[in-house]
């Protein structure tokens, strides 16, 4: 079994999610800028996200189901967003956040486990 087809999509999804997190939430530090400007900048950032996410899903679908790919993307989103929220936005995560994230990760377990 070659490991590369399993790893490359995850790496691309990681990178794409970094771009998308900045596209969706990066403007929150620039509330003094016109909304139309941050929308256009966000679209520009999102373009690069799509340039990574589309190949990630196309390549990933050769070894993962669509549900598994979506689950991988959601878990990555939680990880990237948590770091972004703390490091970029200066927000704190609470125990409630971690409990919620743990429940989502437990759901991911069942997606990959297969039929019960």
């Amino acid at each position: 079994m070659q490991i590369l087809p399993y790893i490359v999509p995850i790496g691309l999804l990681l990178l794409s999610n970094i771009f998308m997190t900045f596209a969706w939430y990066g403007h929150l530090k620039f509330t003094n800028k016109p909304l139309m400007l941050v929308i256009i900048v966000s679209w520009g950032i999102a373009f690069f996200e799509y340039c990574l996410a589309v190949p990630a899903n196309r390549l990933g679908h050769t070894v993962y189901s669509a549900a598994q790919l979506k689950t991988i993307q959601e878990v990555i989103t939680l990880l990237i967003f948590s770091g972004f929220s703390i490091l970029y936005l200066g927000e704190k995560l609470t125990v409630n956040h971690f409990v919620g994230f743990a429940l989502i990760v437990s759901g991911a377990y069942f997606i990959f486990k297969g039929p019960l």
Side-chain angles (χ1 to χ4, degrees), residues 96-115:
N96 288 6
H97 292 106
F98 291 108
V99 170
F101 294 165
L103 291 170
I104 292 169
V105 169
S106 66
Y109 166 80
F110 286 102
I111 297 292
F112 279 89
K113 180 162 180 15

Side-chain angles (χ1 to χ4, degrees), residues 67-101:
Q68 288 173 325
L69 282 167
K70 183 60 179 170
T71 302
I72 291 167
Q73 188 269 329
E74 291 300 333
V75 170
I76 288 171
T77 296
L78 288 175
L79 295 172
I80 298 295
F81 183 78
S82 295
F84 178 86
S85 182
I86 294 165
L87 299 172
Y88 185 78
L89 295 177
E91 296 183 358
K92 296 189 185 317
L93 296 179
T94 67
V95 171
N96 288 6
H97 292 106
F98 291 108
V99 170
F101 294 165

Side-chain angles (χ1 to χ4, degrees), residues 10-71:
I10 294 172
L12 290 171
L13 287 172
L14 269 165
L15 292 172
S16 76
N17 203 277
I18 291 169
F19 280 102
M20 203 56 177
T21 300
F22 273 96
W24 285 355
Y25 303 103
H27 62 87
L28 295 177
K29 285 189 113 176
F30 302 99
T31 55
N32 60 332
K33 300 296 181 194
L35 184 58
M36 188 53 68
L37 175 64
V38 297
I39 289 170
I40 292 168
V41 170
S42 292
W43 278 0
I45 295 169
F47 170 77
F48 294 103
E49 184 269 342
Y50 275 83
C51 289
L52 295 165
V54 170
N57 286 308
R58 182 166 288 194
L59 294 169
H61 199 248
T62 64
V63 293
Y64 297 112
S65 71
Q68 288 173 325
L69 282 167
K70 183 60 179 170
T71 302

